[in-house]
């Protein structure tokens, strides 16, 4: 897996530098920090340090005079883990915005996209984790519940699966009534939404429930819906789009926090080890109007486990 990561690092690094008009070789702290920031936004990395070492190794092959300063690297990675500046962070893709997107749905792909965005909001997962969900990962549980097996978590070396169990929500009204589209109705109940997503994927023979092969493809679909729904994607003084594939994760966290779910529970659900959940809690405390209270995950009634994806290998006995 390290070799595959190293092979992908160089073209990603060169592309990030070219996009910003900076020479890639020889590398420097500026180019590596730019590269790490790009990886942070694109969610293409598990740890930027792995990619940095690939660039250092490549620079040795090219006989470039460069050494990676460990103290500098630690400072940058800690800064990235704390998140982007508030004005650059992804905005929450709230239900009213999803409803506006639903109003411009004209194709089956549009409908699948809105449905997938709603389900991604329920999981609070990173885009890569959500897009890896297969139809068999959405399982019916006794009592009319649904269990969702989330793998490809951050820190995949631990080989863990997060499996939240969702209950049916009572028929919502007002902001949380089902989303009507010209191609059908998107339910705002996690059980009904995941079952519908699974059924549509199985019917089409798709390998994943989102019927989307990459985060870039999902972002293109999201951007198309935003344009047609006349949802602005930019603010003055902002370099990044307001709504990205990360926006469903932000929205889900904000909804649960606003609904009174404890921060530590939200952190487990989102598999978020940094203090970013606390930052969203602080934003909501200062501006509660960001989202309305909506508890779609009830930790007092639901069961959730963090379990190993595979049993650890047995240790071989060595003869002396």
């Amino acid at each position: 897996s390290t070799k595959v990561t190293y092979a992908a690092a160089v073209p990603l690094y060169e592309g990030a530098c070219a996009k910003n008009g900076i020479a890639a070789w020889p590398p420097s702290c500026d180019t590596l920090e730019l590269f790490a920031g790009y990886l942070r936004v694109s969610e293409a990395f598990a740890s930027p340090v792995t990619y940095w070492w690939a660039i250092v190794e490549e620079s040795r092959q090219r006989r470039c005079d460069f050494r990676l300063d460990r103290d500098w690297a630690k400072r940058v990675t800690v800064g990235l883990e704390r998140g982007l500046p508030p004005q650059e962070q992804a905005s929450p893709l709230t239900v009213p915005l999803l409803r506006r997107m639903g109003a411009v749905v004209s194709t089956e792909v549009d409908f699948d996209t809105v449905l997938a965005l709603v389900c991604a909001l329920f999981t609070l997962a990173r885009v890569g984790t959500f897009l890896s969900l297969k139809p068999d990962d959405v399982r019916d549980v006794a009592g009319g519940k649904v269990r969702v097996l989330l793998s490809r978590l951050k820190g995949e070396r631990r080989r863990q699966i997060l499996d939240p169990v969702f209950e049916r929500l009572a028929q919502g009204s007002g902001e949380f009534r089902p989303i009507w589209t010209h191609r059908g109705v998107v339910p705002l109940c996690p059980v009904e939404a995941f079952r519908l997503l699974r059924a549509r994927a199985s019917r089409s023979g798709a390998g994943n429930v989102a019927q989307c092969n990459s985060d870039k493809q999902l972002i293109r679909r999201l951007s198309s819906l935003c344009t047609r729904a006349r949802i602005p994607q930019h603010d003055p003084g902002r370099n990044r789009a307001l709504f990205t594939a990360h926006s469903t994760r932000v929205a889900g966290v904000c909804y649960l926090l606003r609904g009174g779910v404890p921060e530590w529970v939200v952190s487990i659900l989102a598999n978020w080890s940094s203090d970013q959940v606390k930052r969203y809690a602080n934003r909501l405390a200062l501006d509660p109007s960001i989202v309305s209270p909506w508890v779609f995950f009830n930790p007092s009634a639901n069961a959730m486990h963090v379990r190993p994806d595979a049993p650890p290998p047995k240790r071989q006995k060595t003869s002396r």
Side-chain angles (χ1 to χ4, degrees):
S1 62
T2 302
K3 289 181 179 179
V4 172
T5 303
Y6 273 30
V10 173
L12 281 172
Y13 168 70
E14 292 177 335
C17 291
K19 185 176 181 180
N20 289 272
I22 301 175
W25 309 101
S28 65
C29 289
D30 290 338
T31 60
L32 290 185
E33 186 165 5
L34 171 73
F35 182 42
Y38 166 79
L39 294 170
R40 177 70 175 85
V41 174
S42 65
E43 298 187 18
F45 76 104
S47 170
V49 176
T50 304
Y51 289 87
W52 282 342
W53 283 122
I55 302 305
V56 171
E57 183 63 28
E58 180 68 16
S59 68
R60 290 171 180 166
Q61 299 295 328
R62 294 173 180 244
R63 299 185 182 278
C64 299
D65 185 18
F66 177 76
R67 295 182 63 185
L68 185 65
D69 184 275
R70 292 177 182 270
D71 292 336
W72 170 87
K74 183 176 181 180
R75 176 180 61 80
V76 173
T77 52
V78 169
L80 288 170
E81 190 66 20
R82 289 176 178 170
L84 296 167
Q87 70 274 13
E88 293 291 338
Q89 292 177 6
S91 297
L93 192 59
T94 61
V95 171
L97 292 172
L98 288 166
R99 197 174 302 284
R100 289 172 61 180
M101 292 181 184
V104 299
V105 164
S106 60
T107 66
E108 292 297 314
V109 172
D110 288 344
F111 182 86
D112 289 333
T113 301
V114 174
L115 178 60
L117 291 172
V118 169
C119 289
L121 186 155
F122 287 137
T123 64
L124 281 69
R126 291 176 174 82
V127 61
T129 299
F130 178 74
L131 293 181
S132 69
L133 267 179
K134 297 177 176 56
D136 290 342
D137 292 330
V138 179
R139 302 179 181 179
D140 296 323
V141 181
K145 302 177 183 180
V146 161
R147 183 186 299 276
V148 180
L149 306 183
L150 297 169
S151 57
R152 286 192 61 187
L153 304 174
K154 186 178 180 181
E156 185 65 12
R157 291 177 183 176
R158 293 174 295 179
R159 296 188 62 78
Q160 289 181 338
I161 287 179
L162 193 67
D163 54 349
V165 175
F166 295 96
E167 291 185 324
R168 287 185 179 274
L169 292 180
Q171 187 69 22
S173 59
E175 179 179 326
F176 302 113
R177 67 189 186 279
I179 298 175
W180 181 89
T181 79
H182 290 289
R183 292 284 174 169
V185 177
V186 176
L188 291 185
C189 165
V191 173
E192 295 180 11
F194 276 112
R195 285 178 176 172
L196 179 59
L197 191 73
R198 178 184 60 191
R200 291 178 68 88
S202 298
R203 191 162 55 243
S204 66
N208 57 67
V209 293
Q211 301 189 55
C212 193
N213 296 323
S214 67
D215 56 339
K216 292 182 180 179
Q217 186 180 37
L218 181 63
I219 291 170
R220 285 196 299 269
R221 294 179 181 180
L222 170 61
S223 298
S224 174
L225 286 170
C226 285
T227 300
R228 284 182 280 150
R230 297 185 178 181
I231 298 174
Q233 274 282 50
H234 299 283
D235 273 347
R238 182 184 175 94
N239 297 320
R240 297 176 175 84
L242 285 167
F243 303 103
T244 69
H246 190 61
S247 292
T248 55
R249 181 166 159 86
V250 175
V253 166
C254 289
Y255 274 123
L256 290 187
L257 289 172
R258 183 79 163 85
V261 178
E263 290 178 23
W264 67 270
V265 174
V266 177
S267 296
I268 293 173
L269 282 168
N271 187 40
W272 222 325
S273 58
S274 70
D275 61 353
Q276 194 62 32
V277 171
K278 186 178 292 294
R279 290 169 180 258
Y280 288 125
N282 293 341
R283 285 176 59 184
L284 285 168
L286 296 173
D287 184 10
S289 64
I290 293 175
V291 293
S292 299
W294 188 31
V295 184
F296 54 79
F297 181 88
N298 182 358
S300 64
N302 295 344
M304 183 187 66
H305 306 88
V306 180
R307 58 186 178 82
D309 188 5
K314 295 182 179 179
R315 293 185 177 181
Q316 299 288 337
K317 290 185 178 180
T318 58
S319 57
R320 295 183 178 178

